[in-house]
Amino acid sequence: DTEVTQTPKHLVMGMTNKKSLKCEQHMGHRAMYWYKQKAKKPPELMFVYSYEKLSINESVPSRFSPECPNSSLLNLHLHALQPEDSALYLCASSRGNEQFFGPGTRLTVL
Amino acid sequence: GQQVMQIPQYQHVQEGEDFTTYCNSSTTLSNIQWYKQRPGGHPVFLIQLVKSGEVKKQKRLTFQFGEAKKNSSLHITATQTTDVGTYFCAGPGNTPLVFGKGTRLSVIA
């Protein structure tokens, strides 16, 4: 299995909602990432997990809360988001330097 | 912090023409990677360059890493409509991977 899967593909939520994004990989990669990508922009790193521990938080607002339940799963919990948080949220995992990206969740915050 | 600059921002070519995108870093890089993102898709790893002056080829794609390991280029020979997408260079910096702004390639049939 050489892919990263993400659910849901699309998500529309209100500013008072709580939702979660899920990411899964079965390549045995021990580093996993959350990126945010706005239209016509490069991916921006949000969080890095290394061996299931949070190793990098790029000053992301607390309304985004990551979680790594085990070495194959990565979640991003969302609460009280703002319309400007609408974007494509990409999960990635890596072996060495090469990063494998999931298809992303396209999030719209109303 | 480390910055990765990429030019051009956009490139429109006729099918069959060549295409080149350039990447420059403010600091020496231990490696540089290239990713392709199709419209509506996600970034897909193309290649990693590690050695000074390295040149690698993948069919019609040629990747180069500069002698000073601060710049890189991707050249596509005889573009096809399947080459459409945004090409990103990326290198290690303050975070594991810092992306350039990307070059969006359009190919007119």
Side-chain angles (χ1 to χ4, degrees):
Chain A
D1 188 351
T2 59
E3 65 172 4
V4 176
T5 59
Q6 286 187 245
T7 56
K9 282 188 166 52
H10 302 274
L11 179 61
V12 179
M13 60 186 290
M15 290 188 285
T16 58
N17 293 157
K18 284 185 181 181
K19 297 287 184 184
S20 296
L21 308 184
K22 297 186 182 301
C23 173
E24 191 166 4
Q25 58 90 13
H26 294 288
M27 294 178 279
H29 295 169
R30 304 314 296 266
M32 296 185 74
Y33 311 78
W34 280 114
Y35 286 87
K36 174 183 178 180
Q37 187 177 29
K38 301 283 269 186
K40 300 182 182 180
K41 299 290 186 184
E44 293 179 7
L45 184 67
M46 300 174 71
F47 302 103
V48 181
Y49 273 83
S50 179
Y51 290 87
E52 299 159 50
K53 293 192 185 306
L54 183 65
S55 59
I56 296 177
N57 176 340
E58 283 291 290
S59 303
V60 179
S62 60
R63 58 186 184 268
F64 295 91
S65 175
E67 178 196 20
C68 189
N70 60 55
S71 60
S72 300
L73 293 174
L74 190 64
N75 298 323
L76 186 62
H77 303 297
L78 314 173
H79 173 54
L81 294 195
Q82 303 296 310
E84 59 264 29
D85 296 322
S86 298
L88 180 67
Y89 287 84
L90 293 160
C91 173
S93 67
S94 69
R95 173 185 59 233
N97 297 323
E98 175 184 349
Q99 293 197 11
F100 295 78
F101 284 82
T105 294
R106 194 161 296 279
L107 174 67
T108 302
V109 182
L110 302 176
Chain B
Q2 186 246 356
Q3 290 185 328
V4 178
M5 309 299 291
Q6 197 174 346
I7 58 169
Q9 192 174 356
Y10 301 97
Q11 185 81 56
H12 306 280
V13 300
Q14 290 280 346
E15 190 173 21
E17 292 182 339
D18 292 356
F19 158 76
T20 305
T21 173
Y22 301 90
C23 188
N24 285 288
S25 169
S26 55
T27 59
T28 301
L29 299 169
S30 59
N31 69 84
I32 194 157
Q33 299 171 42
W34 286 91
Y35 290 80
K36 176 183 178 181
Q37 187 171 19
R38 294 181 186 274
H42 58 278
V44 174
F45 175 83
L46 293 176
I47 208 160
Q48 176 177 262
L49 304 171
V50 178
K51 299 177 184 175
S52 168
E54 188 170 15
V55 178
K56 286 189 176 180
K57 292 192 176 185
Q58 289 179 351
K59 297 182 181 178
R60 295 178 293 104
L61 277 61
T62 302
F63 303 84
Q64 292 189 323
F65 201 9
E67 294 289 341
K69 300 182 74 173
K70 284 185 157 185
N71 61 288
S72 182
S73 65
L74 157 59
H75 179 83
I76 302 178
T77 303
T79 54
Q80 299 175 359
T81 55
T82 53
D83 295 324
V84 165
T86 300
Y87 293 84
F88 293 100
C89 62
N94 295 334
T95 63
L97 206 57
V98 177
F99 282 84
K101 291 189 185 300
T103 296
R104 178 172 294 191
L105 174 64
S106 299
V107 179
I108 305 163

